[in-house]
Amino acid sequence: MKPTRDPRVTLDDLVEVLLNKGAVLHLDLIISVADIPLIGVNLRAAIAGMETMLEHGMMRQWDEHTRAWVEGSSARRGLDLRDGERHVAQMHGGHLLEEGVYTAWRPGTVFLTDQRLVVLRRDPHEIMWQADLSAVRAVRPETERSAGGAPRTRVRLELDDDSTALLSAADPGALCDLLDRSLPGVLREELRPGASQQVLAEGHLWYQEPRRDGPLWRGGTGRLTPGGLVWKSPLDARPALAVPADDILGVHQVAGRSPGGEGTVLEVRTQSLGVLALAATDPAHWLASFRETTEKTAPAAPADAAAR
């Protein structure tokens, strides 16, 4: 618990520590004027993300009360539950309507119950899309470029009738996690949060986010596994990048400048997102790890080509 100083630590890193590990504050403060004590402060506080709080047995009663209130008020919020159906979660989101050549996002609210997944529009009241959980065969996060050029993570669902659906959600990672808990096995092992798997590279990584007023370097945490790359800033509610390994075409180091210094920029070519600019203080390690990933996912050469 000794204080440390790292010049690379940013506010993002502090927020990440508070959310993932938490902090306990013990403060005794006396404010004096002309050596006369006037105000005393005795503070005992715990600051952490809700998941960390619940893991340590804190705020459970408040959490259970809040969940019960949400469940009881779901009907007032527009979703009519079936007999015996239980509300699990809800968040802002939408559904991609794909009918022939017409494609458009329809915003609404995503409801998850213990029986189905629903995208509801309240005004006018309409269920835009729904599926029974028993019909969901596979779930995976999928990153694409928005109209403004910024990457957005969506949730792709594969159904038993061989159809697919693409949903947006305020927290796609949480939605995937909830679906994986409700339907064990629908989320690919390498995409499961906290899954035990080989980690090729993990650590601080900068991502150059495209913006209308020019690209911006953002600090965050990257994790590269045989399943792909996930990058998230501590200030974001969801990962900004979730790129499957089979979407990565190649990577090379360029002589650009980034917050990590000169020559620390990596350009990652992908099928769906084009070229991604990343930066690390140890680009050689990330470069070797990316190449290991692409070699494992590269299609095998035909036998006649290999002979030549």
PDB file of all heavy atoms in Angstrom, residues 60 68 77 104 117 124 126 138 152 169-170 212 233-234 275 308:
ATOM      1  N   ARG A  60     -25.713  -5.091  -1.021  1.00  0.00           N
ATOM      2  CA  ARG A  60     -26.544  -6.146  -1.602  1.00  0.00           C
ATOM      3  C   ARG A  60     -28.037  -5.849  -1.418  1.00  0.00           C
ATOM      4  O   ARG A  60     -28.840  -6.074  -2.329  1.00  0.00           O
ATOM      5  CB  ARG A  60     -26.195  -7.493  -0.969  1.00  0.00           C
ATOM      6  CG  ARG A  60     -24.874  -8.057  -1.455  1.00  0.00           C
ATOM      7  CD  ARG A  60     -24.624  -9.442  -0.906  1.00  0.00           C
ATOM      8  NE  ARG A  60     -23.384  -9.995  -1.443  1.00  0.00           N
ATOM      9  CZ  ARG A  60     -22.904 -11.177  -1.093  1.00  0.00           C
ATOM     10  NH1 ARG A  60     -23.550 -11.936  -0.217  1.00  0.00           N
ATOM     11  NH2 ARG A  60     -21.770 -11.617  -1.624  1.00  0.00           N
ATOM     12  N   ALA A  68     -35.683  -5.456  -7.745  1.00  0.00           N
ATOM     13  CA  ALA A  68     -37.089  -5.790  -7.544  1.00  0.00           C
ATOM     14  C   ALA A  68     -37.987  -4.653  -8.016  1.00  0.00           C
ATOM     15  O   ALA A  68     -39.047  -4.883  -8.613  1.00  0.00           O
ATOM     16  CB  ALA A  68     -37.337  -6.092  -6.072  1.00  0.00           C
ATOM     17  N   ARG A  77     -43.299   0.402 -17.785  1.00  0.00           N
ATOM     18  CA  ARG A  77     -42.345   0.917 -18.767  1.00  0.00           C
ATOM     19  C   ARG A  77     -42.664   0.434 -20.174  1.00  0.00           C
ATOM     20  O   ARG A  77     -41.938   0.738 -21.102  1.00  0.00           O
ATOM     21  CB  ARG A  77     -40.927   0.512 -18.381  1.00  0.00           C
ATOM     22  CG  ARG A  77     -40.444   1.170 -17.086  1.00  0.00           C
ATOM     23  CD  ARG A  77     -39.130   0.560 -16.636  1.00  0.00           C
ATOM     24  NE  ARG A  77     -38.658   1.191 -15.412  1.00  0.00           N
ATOM     25  CZ  ARG A  77     -37.840   2.220 -15.350  1.00  0.00           C
ATOM     26  NH1 ARG A  77     -37.385   2.748 -16.463  1.00  0.00           N
ATOM     27  NH2 ARG A  77     -37.460   2.725 -14.208  1.00  0.00           N
ATOM     28  N   ALA A 104     -31.991  -0.092 -41.927  1.00  0.00           N
ATOM     29  CA  ALA A 104     -32.067   1.085 -41.049  1.00  0.00           C
ATOM     30  C   ALA A 104     -32.089   0.630 -39.599  1.00  0.00           C
ATOM     31  O   ALA A 104     -32.674  -0.406 -39.262  1.00  0.00           O
ATOM     32  CB  ALA A 104     -33.309   1.910 -41.358  1.00  0.00           C
ATOM     33  N   LEU A 117     -35.851 -12.215 -25.510  1.00  0.00           N
ATOM     34  CA  LEU A 117     -35.124 -10.971 -25.736  1.00  0.00           C
ATOM     35  C   LEU A 117     -35.995 -10.109 -26.634  1.00  0.00           C
ATOM     36  O   LEU A 117     -36.433 -10.559 -27.703  1.00  0.00           O
ATOM     37  CB  LEU A 117     -33.775 -11.250 -26.390  1.00  0.00           C
ATOM     38  CG  LEU A 117     -32.824 -10.070 -26.596  1.00  0.00           C
ATOM     39  CD1 LEU A 117     -32.434  -9.445 -25.269  1.00  0.00           C
ATOM     40  CD2 LEU A 117     -31.572 -10.527 -27.336  1.00  0.00           C
ATOM     41  N   PRO A 124     -44.666   5.224 -31.095  1.00  0.00           N
ATOM     42  CA  PRO A 124     -45.836   4.417 -30.754  1.00  0.00           C
ATOM     43  C   PRO A 124     -45.415   3.044 -30.220  1.00  0.00           C
ATOM     44  O   PRO A 124     -44.351   2.541 -30.589  1.00  0.00           O
ATOM     45  CB  PRO A 124     -46.578   4.277 -32.081  1.00  0.00           C
ATOM     46  CG  PRO A 124     -45.494   4.380 -33.107  1.00  0.00           C
ATOM     47  CD  PRO A 124     -44.489   5.350 -32.551  1.00  0.00           C
ATOM     48  N   GLU A 126     -44.648  -0.539 -29.821  1.00  0.00           N
ATOM     49  CA  GLU A 126     -44.460  -1.592 -30.834  1.00  0.00           C
ATOM     50  C   GLU A 126     -43.274  -2.472 -30.440  1.00  0.00           C
ATOM     51  O   GLU A 126     -42.224  -1.964 -30.035  1.00  0.00           O
ATOM     52  CB  GLU A 126     -44.181  -0.969 -32.210  1.00  0.00           C
ATOM     53  CG  GLU A 126     -43.887  -1.987 -33.285  1.00  0.00           C
ATOM     54  CD  GLU A 126     -43.402  -1.352 -34.579  1.00  0.00           C
ATOM     55  OE1 GLU A 126     -43.232  -0.104 -34.604  1.00  0.00           O
ATOM     56  OE2 GLU A 126     -43.172  -2.088 -35.548  1.00  0.00           O
ATOM     57  N   ALA A 138     -26.385 -18.749 -30.940  1.00  0.00           N
ATOM     58  CA  ALA A 138     -25.052 -18.190 -30.701  1.00  0.00           C
ATOM     59  C   ALA A 138     -25.145 -16.677 -30.559  1.00  0.00           C
ATOM     60  O   ALA A 138     -26.036 -16.041 -31.123  1.00  0.00           O
ATOM     61  CB  ALA A 138     -24.094 -18.558 -31.834  1.00  0.00           C
ATOM     62  N   ARG A 152     -18.406   1.157 -33.236  1.00  0.00           N
ATOM     63  CA  ARG A 152     -19.472   0.844 -32.312  1.00  0.00           C
ATOM     64  C   ARG A 152     -19.614  -0.685 -32.222  1.00  0.00           C
ATOM     65  O   ARG A 152     -19.582  -1.358 -33.240  1.00  0.00           O
ATOM     66  CB  ARG A 152     -20.807   1.443 -32.770  1.00  0.00           C
ATOM     67  CG  ARG A 152     -20.845   2.961 -32.688  1.00  0.00           C
ATOM     68  CD  ARG A 152     -20.879   3.438 -31.255  1.00  0.00           C
ATOM     69  NE  ARG A 152     -20.954   4.890 -31.156  1.00  0.00           N
ATOM     70  CZ  ARG A 152     -19.915   5.688 -31.032  1.00  0.00           C
ATOM     71  NH1 ARG A 152     -18.703   5.182 -31.022  1.00  0.00           N
ATOM     72  NH2 ARG A 152     -20.056   6.990 -30.933  1.00  0.00           N
ATOM     73  N   ALA A 169     -26.858  -1.836 -28.157  1.00  0.00           N
ATOM     74  CA  ALA A 169     -27.171  -1.786 -26.732  1.00  0.00           C
ATOM     75  C   ALA A 169     -26.260  -0.780 -26.060  1.00  0.00           C
ATOM     76  O   ALA A 169     -25.122  -0.569 -26.491  1.00  0.00           O
ATOM     77  CB  ALA A 169     -27.010  -3.169 -26.091  1.00  0.00           C
ATOM     78  N   ALA A 170     -26.761  -0.153 -25.002  1.00  0.00           N
ATOM     79  CA  ALA A 170     -25.952   0.817 -24.267  1.00  0.00           C
ATOM     80  C   ALA A 170     -24.704   0.161 -23.698  1.00  0.00           C
ATOM     81  O   ALA A 170     -23.650   0.776 -23.622  1.00  0.00           O
ATOM     82  CB  ALA A 170     -26.780   1.447 -23.147  1.00  0.00           C
ATOM     83  N   ARG A 212     -14.903  13.561 -36.279  1.00  0.00           N
ATOM     84  CA  ARG A 212     -15.165  14.520 -37.346  1.00  0.00           C
ATOM     85  C   ARG A 212     -14.170  15.672 -37.342  1.00  0.00           C
ATOM     86  O   ARG A 212     -13.826  16.216 -38.395  1.00  0.00           O
ATOM     87  CB  ARG A 212     -16.589  15.066 -37.205  1.00  0.00           C
ATOM     88  CG  ARG A 212     -17.661  14.008 -37.471  1.00  0.00           C
ATOM     89  CD  ARG A 212     -19.052  14.601 -37.373  1.00  0.00           C
ATOM     90  NE  ARG A 212     -20.073  13.608 -37.640  1.00  0.00           N
ATOM     91  CZ  ARG A 212     -21.380  13.851 -37.606  1.00  0.00           C
ATOM     92  NH1 ARG A 212     -21.812  15.081 -37.311  1.00  0.00           N
ATOM     93  NH2 ARG A 212     -22.248  12.891 -37.859  1.00  0.00           N
ATOM     94  N   SER A 233     -11.568   1.845 -23.040  1.00  0.00           N
ATOM     95  CA  SER A 233     -11.124   2.957 -22.200  1.00  0.00           C
ATOM     96  C   SER A 233     -11.858   2.885 -20.871  1.00  0.00           C
ATOM     97  O   SER A 233     -13.046   2.537 -20.839  1.00  0.00           O
ATOM     98  CB  SER A 233     -11.430   4.287 -22.888  1.00  0.00           C
ATOM     99  OG  SER A 233     -11.296   5.359 -21.969  1.00  0.00           O
ATOM    100  N   PRO A 234     -11.195   3.203 -19.759  1.00  0.00           N
ATOM    101  CA  PRO A 234     -11.873   3.161 -18.460  1.00  0.00           C
ATOM    102  C   PRO A 234     -13.071   4.099 -18.365  1.00  0.00           C
ATOM    103  O   PRO A 234     -13.946   3.891 -17.530  1.00  0.00           O
ATOM    104  CB  PRO A 234     -10.776   3.586 -17.472  1.00  0.00           C
ATOM    105  CG  PRO A 234      -9.491   3.310 -18.171  1.00  0.00           C
ATOM    106  CD  PRO A 234      -9.772   3.536 -19.625  1.00  0.00           C
ATOM    107  N   VAL A 275      -8.416   0.223 -41.572  1.00  0.00           N
ATOM    108  CA  VAL A 275      -7.139   0.269 -40.864  1.00  0.00           C
ATOM    109  C   VAL A 275      -7.328   0.912 -39.495  1.00  0.00           C
ATOM    110  O   VAL A 275      -7.859   2.022 -39.386  1.00  0.00           O
ATOM    111  CB  VAL A 275      -6.085   1.054 -41.668  1.00  0.00           C
ATOM    112  CG1 VAL A 275      -4.770   1.125 -40.901  1.00  0.00           C
ATOM    113  CG2 VAL A 275      -5.853   0.397 -43.025  1.00  0.00           C
ATOM    114  N   ARG A 308       4.014 -25.730 -55.547  1.00  0.00           N
ATOM    115  CA  ARG A 308       4.785 -24.817 -56.382  1.00  0.00           C
ATOM    116  C   ARG A 308       5.709 -23.942 -55.555  1.00  0.00           C
ATOM    117  O   ARG A 308       6.770 -23.560 -55.966  1.00  0.00           O
ATOM    118  CB  ARG A 308       3.816 -23.914 -57.184  1.00  0.00           C
ATOM    119  CG  ARG A 308       3.022 -24.671 -58.246  1.00  0.00           C
ATOM    120  CD  ARG A 308       2.412 -23.696 -59.242  1.00  0.00           C
ATOM    121  NE  ARG A 308       1.437 -22.845 -58.576  1.00  0.00           N
ATOM    122  CZ  ARG A 308       0.143 -23.150 -58.487  1.00  0.00           C
ATOM    123  NH1 ARG A 308      -0.313 -24.276 -58.983  1.00  0.00           N
ATOM    124  NH2 ARG A 308      -0.702 -22.332 -57.874  1.00  0.00           N
TER     125      ARG A 308
END
